[in-house]
Amino acid sequence: MEKKKLYWEIIRATNGFDSIFCIGKGGSGSVYKAKLPSGSIVAVKELHQKLDGEETSQEFHNEISALINRRHRNIVKLCGFCSNSQHSFLVYEYLEKGSLALIWSKEDEAKELDWSRRVRIVKGVAHALSYLHQDCVPPIVHRDLSSSNILLDYDYEPCVSDFGTAKLLNPDSSNWSSLAGTYGYVAPELAYTRKVTEKCDVYSFGVLTLEVITGKRLGDLISSFSSPSAYENKLLKDVLDQWLPPPTLEVEDELTTIARVAITCRDSQLQSRPTMHMVSQSLSFQTTASTGGPDITLEQLIKI
């Protein structure tokens, strides 16, 4: 009875999924903000109905399988789900600040993401992926890590969301799969092989991390220079997000550590990339002195 009650509460709260309650759209569905009679606010993702229903069903079950009984502060909380002949939807906790990609599109909001918050976002996402890869049985690969799928709460704490293309790695299967992910974030090996590994997420994390500290998508960062010769002498400090004041020396050291990690995560050879557990551990280490060593160049940052 409680599930049926919640179903009708959501239908009424969204006026049958009226567009005025829609707060976001993606390839697999639309997300609605719903205020329940109890006063609590939830985000409801209604999956698009496909003609054959097969793809919708797969994404629906992927998301439930990945999130059911998972509890981590940096992974969006699944509160419930429903599927019938009219609707298939998932109910999540509501995160006030929306997606990282949405914040990038608004200068005033992007400026609210100061250096300490950006460092915390990178660390939070790393912890979430380490949990999915190492602490879940079987391991879970997200497969579509991007700024659109990182949600922020009122305190700018990050949560990884949208597990519609997630894959549970079964040790008894080859784990081959169709290509998934967002252009620009997808690991290069997936262009010629369809085998899913945790290292696919590691690569995407490296791309996302560079986006967080530069304030630009990697492709946009590259295209902002007229030619390769234009960035020959550029260093990391020259491409840090210019919307923010320059970081203190201590924060600059931390950003340098983060950038070095991002570079290793984006190694074209998947065997050379670290595990997310290694990444999470290295980012948890608080620098107390200068990182030393040569400065990071822009060429190192954007090398594919």
Side-chain angles (χ1 to χ4, degrees):
M1 182 60 187
E2 281 300 312
K3 289 181 180 178
K4 192 172 183 180
K5 180 184 175 185
L6 179 61
Y7 171 81
W8 285 112
E9 284 181 351
I10 287 171
I11 296 298
R12 282 192 287 268
T14 59
N15 194 23
F17 296 107
D18 191 306
S19 61
I20 64 170
F21 295 98
C22 184
I23 56 174
K25 291 185 177 182
S28 61
S30 298
V31 181
Y32 299 82
K33 181 179 179 180
K35 186 174 183 179
L36 303 179
S38 63
S40 61
I41 299 175
V42 293
V44 183
K45 179 180 177 182
E46 186 197 29
L47 274 71
H48 298 317
Q49 296 292 336
K50 305 284 170 54
L51 288 176
D52 58 7
E54 187 175 329
E55 190 175 348
T56 297
S57 176
Q58 184 60 52
E59 290 174 357
F60 186 74
H61 289 293
N62 280 352
E63 200 129 4
I64 294 169
S65 299
L67 292 175
I68 199 77
N69 298 325
R70 312 292 179 206
R71 292 292 179 267
H72 190 283
R73 67 178 299 184
N74 299 117
I75 295 175
V76 68
K77 182 181 177 183
L78 178 66
C79 305
F81 53 88
C82 171
S83 183
N84 59 28
S85 57
Q86 289 184 296
H87 302 287
S88 289
F89 61 77
L90 302 114
V91 184
Y92 298 100
E93 62 179 325
Y94 176 72
L95 296 165
E96 293 85 345
K97 299 296 183 182
S99 74
L100 192 54
L102 186 63
I103 289 177
W104 289 151
S105 68
K106 301 173 182 178
E107 183 176 344
D108 289 343
E109 291 190 28
K111 287 179 178 177
E112 290 298 311
L113 287 178
D114 59 24
W115 292 119
S116 64
R117 284 172 173 164
R118 295 190 191 207
V119 168
R120 191 168 53 164
I121 287 169
V122 170
K123 290 180 178 181
V125 174
H127 295 330
L129 292 175
S130 177
Y131 168 79
L132 291 171
H133 294 176
Q134 176 155 319
D135 299 330
C136 293
V137 181
I140 299 169
V141 180
H142 185 280
R143 291 211 300 158
D144 193 15
L145 193 70
S146 72
S147 54
S148 296
N149 293 332
I150 304 300
L151 303 179
L152 304 176
D153 68 9
Y154 67 94
D155 200 29
Y156 295 94
E157 187 70 30
C159 276
V160 178
S161 71
D162 200 343
F163 284 74
T165 59
K167 186 162 182 66
L168 280 64
L169 295 187
N170 188 335
D172 299 324
S173 74
S174 61
N175 293 307
W176 297 98
S177 182
S178 59
L179 185 62
T182 301
Y183 179 76
Y185 297 89
V186 179
E189 67 271 12
L190 291 176
Y192 53 85
T193 178
R194 295 292 186 262
K195 185 171 184 180
V196 178
T197 71
E198 295 97 325
K199 296 299 181 74
C200 302
D201 282 350
V202 175
Y203 182 90
S204 301
F205 172 80
V207 176
L208 176 69
T209 296
L210 294 181
E211 184 177 334
V212 170
I213 63 178
T214 65
K216 290 186 176 75
R217 290 278 298 267
L218 192 58
D220 295 335
L221 178 64
I222 296 170
S223 62
S224 67
F225 294 92
S226 56
S227 67
S229 61
Y231 55 72
E232 275 181 0
N233 299 314
K234 297 288 185 183
L235 302 175
L236 172 64
K237 62 184 179 182
D238 298 320
V239 292
L240 292 176
D241 196 336
Q242 301 301 302
W243 280 353
L244 296 182
T248 63
L249 286 176
E250 184 180 352
V251 173
E252 190 174 335
D253 280 345
E254 194 159 22
L255 292 174
T256 300
T257 299
I258 287 171
R260 290 191 198 284
V261 169
I263 290 169
T264 63
C265 288
R266 290 184 59 252
D267 197 297
S268 59
Q269 300 299 315
L270 64 92
Q271 299 91 340
S272 301
R273 295 173 207 152
T275 65
M276 284 311 305
H277 180 65
M278 293 163 61
V279 169
S280 181
Q281 285 190 317
S282 64
L283 294 180
S284 296
F285 175 71
Q286 298 297 317
T287 53
T288 56
S290 174
T291 51
D295 289 330
I296 296 175
T297 66
L298 180 58
E299 286 179 293
Q300 288 174 296
L301 282 178
I302 65 178
K303 184 179 178 182
I304 302 299

